[in-house]
Amino acid sequence: MRKYDRSLIEVWEWKEKVYHDVKDLSAKEYIERIKVDAAKILTEGQIELKTISLKEKQQKVA
């Protein structure tokens, strides 16, 4: 029998829990869930994202 690192086992457990939380959601519900969760994480972490348009990006690269 193989021995696995405890951190790897924790990741597998987390992955299994997330799967069970979202497995019965429709695509629309799943996307909404991701948006809500992301907004919550950004708010709690006081993270502010700046939107960059494609046009601005092309000007910077060129």
Side-chain angles (χ1 to χ4, degrees):
M1 187 170 134
R2 288 185 117 187
K3 278 197 155 201
Y4 295 103
D5 186 73
R6 180 67 191 145
S7 60
L8 183 57
I9 294 170
E10 287 177 17
V11 169
W12 288 337
E13 290 169 352
W14 168 79
K15 220 175 139 181
E16 189 70 20
K17 182 182 179 302
V18 170
Y19 168 75
H20 286 291
D21 286 346
V22 299
K23 70 180 180 179
D24 295 325
L25 299 178
S26 69
K28 189 174 185 177
E29 292 169 327
Y30 181 72
I31 291 169
E32 185 60 30
R33 173 84 174 264
I34 290 172
K35 287 180 180 180
V36 168
D37 289 349
K40 182 179 174 187
I41 290 168
L42 292 172
T43 301
E44 288 175 356
Q46 297 179 346
I47 301 168
E48 202 172 310
L49 300 179
K50 179 183 175 195
T51 303
I52 300 175
S53 73
L54 184 57
K55 192 173 187 178
E56 287 177 26
K57 189 174 180 180
Q58 288 174 343
Q59 290 174 350
K60 288 181 181 179
V61 173

